[in-house]
Amino acid sequence: MKLAILSRAPRSYSTQRLRTAAESRGHRVRVLNTLRFAIDLTGDEPDLQFRGRPISDYDAILPRIGNSITYFGTAVVRQFEQMDVYTPNTANGIANARDKLRAIQILSRHNIGMPATTFARNRADVLPAIQRVGGAPVVIKLLEGTQGIGVILAPNTKVAEAIIETLQSTRQNVLIQRFVAESRGRDIRALVVGDRVVAAMRRVAQGDEFRSNVHRGGRVEAIDLPRSFEETAVRAAQIMGLRFAGVDMLESDDGPLVMEVNSSPGLEGIETATQLDIAGAIIDYIDNQVAFPEIDVRQRLTVSTGYGVAELVVHDGAELVGKTIAESGLRERDITVLTLNRGTTVIPNPNLSRTLEASDRLLCFGRLEEMRSMIPARRRRRARVKQLPDDPIRRADDVSP
Ligand SMILES: Nc1ncnc2c1ncn2[C@@H]1O[C@H](COP(=O)(O)OP(=O)(O)O)[C@@H](O)[C@H]1O
Ligand SMILES: [Mg+2]
């Protein structure tokens, strides 16, 4: 294949290793400075220029987008996606992972363990927020920090409030997180490639430091990753839309707690700690996936008018419970079940003979009109306001004197 590594650090350990791994497997590879692309939307087809010239055809890209260029970098990756070039990490995945709050928001509805986290803006809401995560000591984080910079442990509420106020006064957004004391300055980095963990290490903070980042002096050691950590890491990466990711987890009394998912994980620490050829694993994975560029399924499936994708939930006591998909009548209503979600397992292309159970979630493609009638009324968290009358303006006129 012909591969482009998007990186501004051609001489860094990670880029060098990726390039060598690709070359030694007989692939053609180039390292291209992300900032030298120009996104070209002038012609009929989406295009890209590199250093002022049209780029040649690539089969795949491997984006290594640094924090300081997220906006431009993800725009370049998105452009490659529009051109049907395969990328293990999508622009959306990279952008979502980059923002610690956004990442946690996305993960939070999927049963992934995370440290209790809150986000508040107004001064009056900060103290209740600190209390909600269990009170001081608390961890305060800048939304887009890396390498441990912007992660602060506040020993008491007064200091926490002062730090938050100071950061907010310089227009920085911060989140407040329970301090997972039992992890004792240690965390686990699992490297996910595709749907498996290819390597894992534990990082141990030095001295009285609580941050275990290698850039903060953390020591690394290889570990045998417990199954629960492996599953959590793979699911977290998948939910974020990243096929190559470094998932950071704390070892809490309640099992793995995901802190963040890195879309451009460094290779030096983990290859040194494990002596494994991780660069080779990611190159082989890309080589296998090249034929399947990411496509925006929802967008493409909704192009035919009246058709679309929806999630139908099988409610307890509903007619569908106990019926097979064939008996469910969905097919007759022009609805195809694409995947069946049961708890945390996903059954792709479920067999027609599969029996539906309460709480199953069916991802379906079909006529929106048919599916609308099957989607239950939205759960309301508060009493509803009064419905608008059919013709609110006329009614309002009627009651005026
Ligand atoms: N809630 C927490 N409880 C205990 N330690 C934490 C917590 N959050 C972060 N840490 C420590 O701080 C380090 C850096 O935090 P992280 O959220 O990964 O930020 P960064 O993007 O800067 O690496 C982690 O590797 C971990 O050792
Ligand atoms: Mg980290």
Side-chain angles (χ1 to χ4, degrees):
M1 64 171 165
K2 189 165 171 200
L3 172 72
I5 299 172
L6 311 189
S7 169
R8 292 173 70 206
R11 269 175 277 286
S12 73
Y13 176 93
S14 302
T15 315
Q16 291 285 0
R17 282 283 301 124
L18 291 163
R19 175 206 277 274
T20 320
E23 279 168 352
S24 70
R25 284 162 171 75
H27 301 301
R28 279 172 300 159
V29 55
R30 283 192 64 193
V31 178
L32 304 178
N33 179 345
T34 319
L35 291 183
R36 294 303 307 269
F37 284 98
I39 291 164
D40 186 354
L41 301 165
T42 56
D44 294 340
E45 303 260 315
D47 213 343
L48 272 168
Q49 313 269 323
F50 184 72
R51 292 181 183 273
R53 298 231 193 90
I55 59 157
S56 50
D57 275 334
Y58 284 94
D59 300 304
I61 57 166
L62 176 51
R64 308 277 301 168
I65 308 295
N67 263 54
S68 56
I69 60 156
T70 303
Y71 188 83
F72 190 78
T74 52
V76 171
V77 174
R78 189 172 298 112
Q79 191 73 356
F80 274 109
E81 289 172 42
Q82 302 304 314
M83 295 159 66
D84 289 334
V85 177
Y86 175 78
T87 175
N89 291 347
T90 59
N92 277 340
I94 296 167
N96 287 340
R98 183 93 349 134
D99 179 318
K100 291 187 206 297
L101 176 66
R102 200 191 289 175
I104 293 182
Q105 284 182 301
I106 292 170
L107 294 175
S108 67
R109 64 174 290 182
H110 293 275
N111 257 326
I112 299 261
M114 291 177 300
T117 304
T118 67
F119 182 62
R121 186 61 194 273
N122 194 292
R123 220 173 138 175
D125 302 323
V126 167
L127 190 58
I130 294 173
Q131 280 154 356
R132 257 197 321 278
V133 300
V138 285
V139 175
I140 297 163
K141 290 188 189 182
L142 293 181
L143 294 198
E144 297 210 357
T146 50
Q147 308 182 342
I149 300 162
V151 177
I152 307 164
L153 179 59
N156 61 54
T157 317
K158 274 272 151 298
V159 174
E161 282 184 306
I163 294 169
I164 293 165
E165 204 172 318
T166 307
L167 290 171
Q168 288 186 339
S169 73
T170 61
R171 296 182 182 279
Q172 308 253 32
N173 280 316
V174 294
L175 57 79
I176 303 166
Q177 200 164 69
R178 176 171 92 83
F179 174 52
V180 182
E182 68 263 29
S183 74
R184 299 191 307 274
R186 310 181 320 164
D187 77 350
I188 286 180
R189 157 67 60 98
L191 231 102
V192 177
V193 172
D195 50 16
R196 65 195 189 102
V197 170
V198 295
M201 63 178 174
R202 180 181 283 125
R203 300 180 295 194
V204 186
Q206 297 302 292
D208 55 5
E209 176 61 67
F210 81 105
R211 297 165 298 179
S212 52
N213 301 65
V214 175
H215 286 93
R216 304 270 75 76
R219 190 164 44 74
V220 299
E221 58 193 38
I223 49 156
D224 243 345
L225 197 63
R227 185 113 193 96
S228 59
F229 281 76
E230 192 175 335
E231 280 172 9
T232 301
V234 170
R235 287 192 57 232
Q238 283 178 342
I239 293 162
M240 296 305 294
L242 300 172
R243 300 284 166 270
F244 177 37
V247 182
D248 291 351
M249 294 168 282
L250 290 170
E251 299 164 273
S252 84
D253 293 342
D254 308 319
L257 299 180
V258 174
M259 285 178 294
E260 60 165 353
V261 182
N262 290 278
S263 58
S264 302
L267 296 181
E268 188 164 12
I270 197 150
E271 284 196 342
T272 310
T274 62
Q275 295 291 306
L276 291 169
D277 176 14
I278 297 160
I282 170 72
I283 296 296
D284 287 339
Y285 177 78
I286 294 175
D287 190 25
N288 267 315
Q289 299 296 313
V290 154
F292 303 106
E294 199 74 32
I295 53 174
D296 187 340
V297 186
R298 191 177 191 114
Q299 195 222 331
R300 297 216 187 165
L301 287 179
T302 27
V303 172
S304 38
T305 23
Y307 280 79
V309 189
E311 188 174 68
L312 309 179
V313 180
V314 179
H315 282 275
D316 204 11
E319 251 177 69
L320 292 178
V321 178
K323 287 190 179 159
T324 64
I325 296 178
E327 296 160 351
S328 67
L330 290 171
R331 199 50 267 195
E332 288 73 16
R333 299 172 74 173
D334 207 7
I335 299 170
T336 310
V337 182
L338 304 172
T339 64
L340 190 163
N341 287 263
R342 181 169 291 167
T344 54
T345 42
V346 183
I347 304 161
N349 274 338
N351 215 294
L352 288 180
S353 60
R354 189 171 280 276
T355 306
L356 297 174
E357 295 177 6
S359 306
D360 282 353
R361 285 170 293 127
L362 309 174
L363 184 71
C364 297
F365 175 67
R367 286 180 57 79
L368 290 172
E369 222 26 70
E370 287 289 342
M371 294 196 291
R372 183 166 293 133
S373 65
M374 302 182 64
I375 294 173
R378 285 181 67 78
R379 178 170 60 102
R380 305 254 165 205
R381 301 194 61 185
R382 296 206 171 73
R384 272 203 257 175
V385 291
K386 251 195 287 171
Q387 289 259 331
L388 277 185
D390 288 342
D391 198 344
I393 297 174
R394 171 106 40 84
R395 291 279 177 94
D397 273 355
D398 287 348
V399 291
S400 61

